[in-house]
Amino acid sequence: MNPVTDGLQPSLKLWGEEDIDGAVYAVYLKKVRYHHAKSDSSEQVSHLEWETIRIRMIKAGTIEKLVESLTTDLGDLESTYMNIFLSTYRSFAVPSQVLTILINRYEQMHCESSKVSLELRENHKRTIEKVLLVWLDMYSEDFFEPPQFLTLLKLKEFTRRFVPGSVLDLRAKHKLLKYKNSGNAENINNNPVVYTNGVHSGISPLQHWSILDISDREFALQLTYTDSELFKKLVPYQCLGSVWSHRDKLSGWKVSPLTVTATVNQFNAVSLRVISTVLSDSSLKAAMRARIIVKWINIAQELRLLKNFSSLKAITAALQSNSIHRLTKVWLCVPREKIESFLELAKIFSEENNQTNCRELLIKEGSAKFVNSVCFSKLFFKGSDKLPLEHAFTMQGTIPYLGTFLTDLTMIDAAISDYLPNGLINFDKKRKEFEILAQIKLLQSAANNYDIVVDPEFQAKFKAIPIFDEKESHELSCLIEPSDSSISNKKHVFENVKSSMFKWTHHKSGSSPASTSSGILCDKSSADANVIKENYMKVSKSCSNLSVSHHHSHSLSNGSSSPFQEFYIIKISLEQKNCDNDGVNMYKSIMLNNSDRTRTVITNAMLKHGIEGNPDDYILVQLVPGGEIVFPHSANVFYAVNRSHELKFILRARCKSKDIRGKKRIPL
């Protein structure tokens, strides 16, 4: 239950907290309105009476208290709380543990010697049965434990003893029989075509098929079909930071994020094939490669109309990857209006203000059944707000870019502790996580509005497109256009475009490709400190940078150092003003983006610690074994940070009268 509002006045007001026997409750006061009508008059007059009642909402507790809270004191079902609990409990309990507590609670209410009234006991029992039925129907994968299925057997034994012949009993028997006969979980294995992320060595030309032969609309529809099928079968709780980051907190139960991985694989498959189609044939002229790039821009426009933000992001990120955007001669052959359209599409995923553009679009169009035609005039019809009839009246769903939600959930998991200092489970954190999971579920419902007929021939041919790893792609790119091309020519490509989204980067022959922030084919882990120092100033601030990598994005946990990720969670403490290294405040976690320079990090740390002043009065220091790293104010901390050690930092006031001694300073 969450506080709700009635007009401008809240119907629930926080009264305080209660700490009762292994649980902490937030207590709200609610005014309840009653209407009484006179029965002896033809005109019913409403008399208003008010009553203030107390409502408790559990904030933290033991696992037993959290399970008991599935029913109210009167034995009624807390449906909102049940949805939150069943969506998030896997970070602090295993299915068998929850089932045992529910069964024990049921047996307690079933006992005739209980001091609770018969009516109240029956109410509790009915509610527990409802919880078990919803759990079995909505999260049946929790009971898939081959080959013995002990948890499901325990549930079946419970139904045989207490509710034989009930709906719950029949469902438990059916589920057990199905699992034993099929041996297959109801998971991603039943999904349609899922592209692998394998790497093919060498160059194998595409025979008898070209992406130019397929209409833009059909191409986008087929990508959307696969994306929608994967997204509809996504299990939202697998997106939780504690699951996706692979932080195994429980020894007996491990949730594998199979459906998230499948979605990520599909995302990477599209991006890699975009790059491959541009680079694979070394004999193509620049004009023909430009046609392929224009083709992908056209497909991206269709994806935007279909509200498929996943493949749209995959295409824009691929076209911004180093191996593609360095092709100066090719981009010079791309019509200016197509570059403008591409930049508008890429702007959707801008990192400015925490992906404001992408989030606003999801809010506006996420659950809408039709596309908003006005916002496409710049992309399709200059000076017109009309779309083709095939778009304007086509009911369709929405497929979000999943990386946005994974980032939010990872941030919550890193910033908020799972347990309070007294050892109680922090259920307030689960409520915050559920708010994001609820958004995913809402969009999954909207995805059912798609009505696309799959083309098996297209799916097979698209899957057959060879893909290349980062090194191979860069070598092919350099083979097409040697790396001694002039930077001035690269800049000329966009000099007439008003809203430039990114800059071209240039690399000397023989150097490894710079770390583009597209996040798909970037390998920053192999760069030494000198390369990082030399290149981080060159990396474009506004390149799209939230793509997810199958092999590495699951490492987006606190202090992780995946070379493919777009941010880190770092810990910063505030050193005391006397510059004594022994006196520091507790660490605060903040997010370090790949565009954050030292002054920005210092400003964020000051806000986190609640201190005021000029950021120029502080310096940022990373603690490493045997020394420390001091960052210049102009440094891009994301690329300059030493990721070989734990990401712990100190915010230190500049000291003019006293030098810092006892620590070895490691210059950048």
Side-chain angles (χ1 to χ4, degrees):
M1 184 185 303
N2 288 321
V4 295
T5 59
D6 182 11
L8 297 177
Q9 298 296 326
S11 62
L12 289 179
K13 291 186 177 181
L14 181 63
W15 178 79
E17 291 187 356
E18 289 183 356
D19 191 345
I20 305 175
D21 190 24
V24 178
Y25 298 91
V27 181
Y28 292 88
L29 299 181
K30 180 179 181 180
K31 280 190 175 183
V32 181
R33 208 165 40 173
Y34 299 95
H35 293 274
H36 297 282
K38 290 184 178 180
S39 58
D40 56 348
S41 173
S42 58
E43 294 184 2
Q44 292 187 341
V45 181
S46 177
H47 294 275
L48 193 62
E49 294 182 1
W50 291 89
E51 180 184 358
T52 301
I53 61 175
R54 297 172 75 255
I55 297 177
R56 294 194 313 177
M57 183 174 68
I58 192 166
K59 296 184 62 178
T62 62
I63 176 62
E64 291 78 13
K65 288 295 182 181
L66 294 179
V67 174
E68 289 178 10
S69 295
L70 290 167
T71 61
T72 66
D73 294 337
L74 299 178
D76 299 324
L77 177 65
E78 281 277 14
S79 57
T80 301
Y81 177 83
M82 176 188 67
N83 288 329
I84 299 174
F85 181 89
L86 293 179
S87 296
T88 60
Y89 80 87
R90 295 158 195 83
S91 61
F92 57 81
V94 297
S96 59
Q97 186 180 8
V98 174
L99 180 61
T100 298
I101 297 173
L102 282 171
I103 292 176
N104 291 341
R105 181 71 168 167
Y106 190 97
E107 292 176 342
Q108 179 184 354
M109 292 298 166
H110 188 73
C111 180
E112 295 181 358
S113 61
S114 174
K115 297 180 181 180
V116 183
S117 67
L118 177 61
E119 181 181 0
L120 186 57
R121 285 190 283 118
E122 290 299 319
N123 217 19
H124 275 282
K125 288 163 61 178
R126 284 193 296 269
T127 298
I128 293 174
E129 291 173 27
K130 291 178 183 177
V131 171
L132 290 172
L133 185 59
V134 171
W135 186 12
L136 185 59
D137 283 346
M138 294 184 62
Y139 301 96
S140 57
E141 66 273 9
D142 287 358
F143 299 89
F144 184 77
E145 302 167 321
Q148 297 168 319
F149 305 101
L150 296 179
T151 303
L152 191 53
L153 283 172
K154 187 172 184 177
L155 176 60
K156 181 174 173 292
E157 175 62 20
F158 163 77
T159 59
R160 184 192 65 80
R161 288 177 54 200
F162 294 103
V163 286
S166 66
V167 175
L168 178 60
D169 184 36
L170 296 176
R171 294 280 175 84
K173 290 178 180 178
H174 173 74
K175 193 68 68 176
L176 182 61
L177 182 63
K178 179 180 179 180
Y179 282 168
K180 285 187 174 180
N181 288 340
S182 67
N184 294 317
E186 298 176 349
N187 56 26
I188 198 64
N189 295 329
N190 294 325
N191 277 341
V193 177
V194 178
Y195 303 128
T196 60
N197 203 21
V199 176
H200 299 261
S201 298
I203 302 175
S204 48
L206 306 180
Q207 297 179 355
H208 312 299
W209 191 73
S210 169
I211 66 169
L212 300 176
D213 299 332
I214 311 296
S215 71
D216 304 334
R217 177 73 173 174
E218 181 62 21
F219 210 119
L221 283 171
Q222 291 305 310
L223 292 180
T224 301
Y225 171 81
T226 305
D227 289 338
S228 64
E229 291 301 306
L230 289 171
F231 181 60
K232 286 187 290 186
K233 294 187 178 183
L234 176 76
V235 179
Y237 69 74
Q238 293 182 4
C239 297
L240 290 172
S242 57
V243 176
W244 180 239
S245 301
H246 282 201
R247 297 197 298 119
D248 302 325
K249 302 175 182 178
L250 302 170
S251 58
W253 172 251
K254 179 178 179 180
V255 179
S256 179
L258 293 177
T259 60
V260 183
T261 301
T263 303
V264 170
N265 284 346
Q266 162 70 2
F267 178 95
N268 286 337
V270 174
S271 287
L272 291 168
R273 282 164 176 80
V274 171
I275 296 173
S276 176
T277 55
V278 178
L279 300 178
S280 59
D281 190 347
S282 59
S283 64
L284 292 180
K285 302 296 184 181
M288 179 56 70
R289 292 187 204 280
R291 283 187 61 193
I292 296 175
I293 289 178
V294 169
K295 179 71 174 181
W296 283 115
I297 294 174
N298 293 338
I299 294 171
Q301 290 174 327
E302 294 289 342
L303 289 168
R304 174 64 188 95
L305 291 172
L306 290 168
K307 298 193 293 183
N308 181 352
F309 295 99
S310 182
S311 283
L312 173 58
K313 165 68 175 178
I315 291 175
T316 57
L319 293 180
Q320 290 175 315
S321 66
N322 180 63
S323 58
I324 301 298
H325 76 63
R326 66 175 298 279
L327 298 176
T328 307
K329 297 177 182 178
V330 174
W331 281 100
L332 286 171
C333 296
V334 177
R336 186 172 67 90
E337 62 271 15
K338 286 301 176 182
I339 294 179
E340 290 179 350
S341 297
F342 171 60
L343 295 176
E344 288 294 330
L345 292 169
K347 191 186 296 183
I348 293 173
F349 305 100
S350 169
E351 280 303 288
E352 185 177 357
N353 295 327
N354 195 20
Q355 310 166 61
T356 299
N357 293 340
C358 186
R359 294 175 189 275
E360 288 181 349
L361 279 176
L362 282 180
I363 293 173
K364 179 187 294 185
E365 301 183 16
S367 57
K369 295 182 179 180
F370 300 98
V371 71
N372 181 359
S373 63
V374 176
C375 59
F376 299 109
S377 59
K378 290 188 290 185
L379 300 179
F380 295 90
F381 309 104
K382 305 298 182 182
S384 172
D385 292 340
K386 295 182 179 180
L387 286 173
L389 291 179
E390 65 183 29
H391 297 295
F393 302 105
T394 302
M395 183 180 294
Q396 59 199 22
T398 302
I399 303 172
Y401 169 52
L402 193 60
T404 303
F405 298 110
L406 294 178
T407 299
D408 291 344
L409 290 167
T410 301
M411 283 297 299
I412 291 175
D413 187 56
I416 305 176
S417 175
D418 287 317
Y419 296 89
L420 300 183
N422 58 9
L424 298 180
I425 299 168
N426 185 2
F427 201 76
D428 267 353
K429 174 179 179 177
K430 306 307 164 189
R431 286 190 169 88
K432 294 181 184 298
E433 292 175 328
F434 180 76
E435 291 177 2
I436 299 174
L437 298 184
Q439 296 175 35
I440 297 176
K441 290 181 179 180
L442 180 64
L443 291 171
Q444 285 181 304
S445 298
N448 290 317
N449 289 323
Y450 286 112
D451 184 17
I452 303 172
V453 178
V454 63
D455 182 352
E457 183 180 2
F458 172 91
Q459 301 288 349
K461 289 180 177 179
F462 188 73
K463 185 179 179 180
I465 296 176
I467 58 178
F468 312 105
D469 61 22
E470 179 191 2
K471 182 179 179 181
E472 289 173 324
S473 297
H474 184 66
E475 289 175 351
L476 288 171
S477 180
C478 290
L479 183 64
I480 294 167
E481 287 190 27
S483 56
D484 58 352
S485 299
S486 171
I487 294 181
S488 61
N489 287 337
K490 291 181 170 65
K491 292 183 178 180
H492 176 71
V493 176
F494 293 113
E495 66 181 3
N496 293 322
V497 180
K498 295 181 180 179
S499 56
S500 178
M501 287 293 295
F502 62 92
K503 300 177 183 178
W504 299 101
T505 57
H506 174 66
H507 313 287
K508 297 180 180 179
S509 178
S511 65
S512 62
S515 307
T516 69
S517 50
S518 63
I520 298 180
L521 299 173
C522 315
D523 187 3
K524 297 187 285 288
S525 60
S526 62
D528 57 25
N530 291 331
V531 174
I532 292 176
K533 180 179 178 181
E534 188 176 48
N535 286 339
Y536 70 69
M537 293 292 291
K538 299 178 182 178
V539 179
S540 170
K541 178 179 180 180
S542 53
C543 278
S544 177
N545 59 6
L546 264 185
S547 50
V548 184
S549 165
H550 164 53
H551 296 295
H552 296 277
S553 59
H554 64 268
S555 300
L556 300 183
S557 60
N558 189 9
S560 67
S561 57
S562 165
F564 286 78
Q565 69 189 68
E566 74 284 350
F567 70 88
Y568 303 129
I569 305 300
I570 64 174
K571 296 180 178 180
I572 299 184
S573 68
L574 178 63
E575 193 172 50
Q576 292 188 355
K577 295 181 180 180
N578 60 7
C579 298
D580 183 1
N581 286 335
D582 294 329
V584 294
N585 295 328
M586 62 182 297
Y587 282 97
K588 302 281 188 178
S589 296
I590 67 172
M591 181 171 69
L592 175 64
N593 288 307
N594 64 357
S595 60
D596 287 346
R597 302 196 180 277
T598 305
R599 198 175 193 279
T600 301
V601 178
I602 291 175
T603 301
N604 293 338
M606 291 173 66
L607 290 173
K608 195 77 171 181
H609 282 280
I611 59 176
E612 299 179 353
N614 188 345
D616 294 332
D617 294 335
Y618 293 87
I619 59 176
L620 183 66
V621 178
Q622 181 185 4
L623 302 179
V624 295
E628 60 184 28
I629 299 176
V630 180
F631 296 86
H633 264 233
S634 61
N636 186 315
V637 181
F638 183 89
Y639 298 112
V641 68
N642 187 327
R643 290 168 291 157
S644 301
H645 310 287
E646 187 176 8
L647 301 182
K648 283 191 174 183
F649 292 75
I650 283 180
L651 191 61
R652 174 182 297 158
R654 292 184 180 274
C655 301
K656 298 180 180 180
S657 60
K658 181 179 179 181
D659 292 330
I660 303 299
R661 304 183 187 278
K663 289 286 186 180
K664 180 181 178 182
R665 297 189 126 188
I666 303 174
L668 284 178

